[in-house]
Amino acid sequence: ADYILSQKLYDRSVSYYGACHEGNAFIASSCGSLTSDATASESITLSDTQTLEIEIAPGGSDLPYKILRWQVVTDDTMLELDETLPVFK
């Protein structure tokens, strides 16, 4: 059980940090194309039910951009939760 949990945590970490790497690449490529009133956004898949949502906007005079959103979003519409409680009679 500990090995399975450790493997799940490892897979989740690799997926998340891979998405962060892709997000940083998105920001780097978008900085030159941002106009003063535009925002840029990207959705990066983490798993079947999760995405990393990123949104950036132009920064002020001292910053090239500001991050408006960097959030892991879960789509729970596809999840089938087992909410039963096994009770012995």
Side-chain angles (χ1 to χ4, degrees), residues 17-34:
Y17 288 111
C20 287
H21 182 70
E22 287 183 49
N24 288 330
F26 159 72
I27 290 173
S29 67
S30 298
C31 282
S33 63
L34 283 177

Side-chain angles (χ1 to χ4, degrees), residues 34-88:
L34 283 177
T35 59
S36 62
D37 60 346
T39 62
S41 61
E42 181 77 7
S43 179
I44 302 168
T45 302
L46 291 172
S47 68
D48 293 340
T49 58
Q50 289 188 321
T51 57
L52 177 62
E53 303 291 331
I54 301 170
E55 184 176 7
I56 60 172
S61 60
D62 57 338
L63 297 173
Y65 64 90
K66 59 184 169 183
I67 297 174
L68 302 176
R69 185 174 189 197
W70 186 285
Q71 180 180 19
V72 174
V73 176
T74 302
D75 177 18
D76 59 358
T77 58
M78 298 179 68
L79 295 177
E80 293 182 23
L81 301 176
D82 181 9
E83 296 180 351
T84 61
L85 181 62
V87 178
F88 294 106

